[in-house]
Amino acid sequence: MTRRLTIRPELAQLDRLASWAEDFVHVAGIPSDRLFAIQLCVEEAVANVIRHSGAADGREDIAVELVQSEDQVLATVADRGRSFDPTAAPAFCKPASIAEASAGRFGIHLMRTFADEMRYERRDGWNRLTLRFGPAQAA
Amino acid sequence: MDISVEDIAGGVTRVALQGRLDTTAAVMMELPLNTVAADKKAIVVDLSAVTFLASYALRVLLMGARIAGSKGGKLVVVCPDNNVAKVLRGAGASDLIPVVADAKAAIAALATTA
């Protein structure tokens, strides 16, 4: 089962994204305990694009795709903003103080925590971030 | 997302949040939480009825704790062991601000350094 959603690069669109992901999980019969991880990671990925990629300046839409295949779900977030590879971000260091922690930068770490795999590619001017939930399929 | 603020016994202010603390909800809770953090000395932020916590909401909570600390106050979070708690733990927030399972433990945590 595959579903695609195109959203404008505005934080107000994130509500629509969450309900769309919830509907996908229900319709696809995916265990509901996986919904939290899927919603969290997709929201963090899209929020990162809106805030940091410059896609919002150019009013370029963001394409989100959810695919269920056997016992795993693949979520892909694609945008035409500036090149950014979240998988290359430095490893998260737990903040030593509240002052340090309140600066944020948790989004990529949460994606790494709640998704089983994160892949990135830049092709034809598109950033494509793919997140896998569930066990890796045998080759 | 719903937010309610009430002064309870012992000079404690309880901020109860309910529903999804996604990015947009976090933006809406920022001002009321910061106001409480600046004005009150003993604050319990109750996440028992929160079903989702995005990174921006986490940042708002930490900012609240930072403001409270800078004014000589203390902020304690109530959160049962669930996915929301996993977000708090994963980001290291539970090492920086007390995260306890229920209101009784929150009052005790506030008393330890009051």
Side-chain angles (χ1 to χ4, degrees), chain B residues 31-43:
Chain B
L31 181 60
L33 183 64
N34 287 353
T35 302
V36 170
D39 290 347
K40 307 291 184 178
K41 296 295 179 203
I43 304 150

Side-chain angles (χ1 to χ4, degrees), chain A residues 24-80:
Chain A
F24 173 86
V25 164
H26 289 325
V27 172
I30 296 162
S32 59
D33 58 359
R34 201 172 275 178
L35 175 62
F36 187 95
I38 294 170
Q39 281 186 325
L40 180 66
C41 293
V42 171
E43 169 153 342
E44 296 296 341
V46 172
N48 268 349
V49 171
I50 293 170
R51 286 210 193 89
H52 305 304
S53 76
D57 304 334
R59 314 305 301 160
E60 293 275 6
D61 287 347
I62 300 166
V64 187
E65 181 182 83
L66 287 172
V67 178
Q68 184 202 25
S69 173
E70 297 185 8
D71 56 353
Q72 67 178 4
V73 174
L74 296 175
T76 301
V77 174
D79 71 273
R80 292 172 62 83

Side-chain angles (χ1 to χ4, degrees), chain A residues 59-123:
Chain A
R59 314 305 301 160
E60 293 275 6
D61 287 347
I62 300 166
V64 187
E65 181 182 83
L66 287 172
V67 178
Q68 184 202 25
S69 173
E70 297 185 8
D71 56 353
Q72 67 178 4
V73 174
L74 296 175
T76 301
V77 174
D79 71 273
R80 292 172 62 83
R82 69 178 69 93
S83 175
F84 176 66
D85 179 2
T87 66
F92 178 74
C93 293
K94 284 193 177 182
S97 67
I98 288 183
E100 193 181 308
S102 54
R105 304 191 186 93
F106 299 115
I108 292 171
H109 174 62
L110 290 177
M111 287 193 277
R112 284 176 170 152
T113 302
F114 282 85
D116 293 291
E117 185 187 1
M118 212 162 66
R119 293 196 305 266
Y120 168 83
E121 66 174 351
R122 176 84 180 179
R123 187 192 295 173

Side-chain angles (χ1 to χ4, degrees), chain A residues 11-12 14-15 18 36 39-40 43-44 47 51 92 94-99 101-104 106-107 109-110 113-114, chain B residues 20-24 27 51-56 58-59 62-63 65-66 83-84 86-87 89-92 95-97:
Chain A
L11 290 177
L14 293 174
D15 286 345
F36 187 95
Q39 281 186 325
L40 180 66
E43 169 153 342
E44 296 296 341
R51 286 210 193 89
F92 178 74
K94 284 193 177 182
S97 67
I98 288 183
S102 54
F106 299 115
H109 174 62
L110 290 177
T113 302
F114 282 85
Chain B
R20 292 173 52 81
L21 295 188
D22 54 19
T23 305
T24 47
V27 171
T51 55
F52 185 85
L53 189 76
S55 66
Y56 195 76
L58 184 62
R59 184 177 172 184
L62 288 161
M63 186 59 76
R66 184 181 182 186
N83 277 318
V84 172
K86 188 177 173 187
V87 172
R89 277 198 305 272
D95 297 333
L96 299 168
I97 52 178

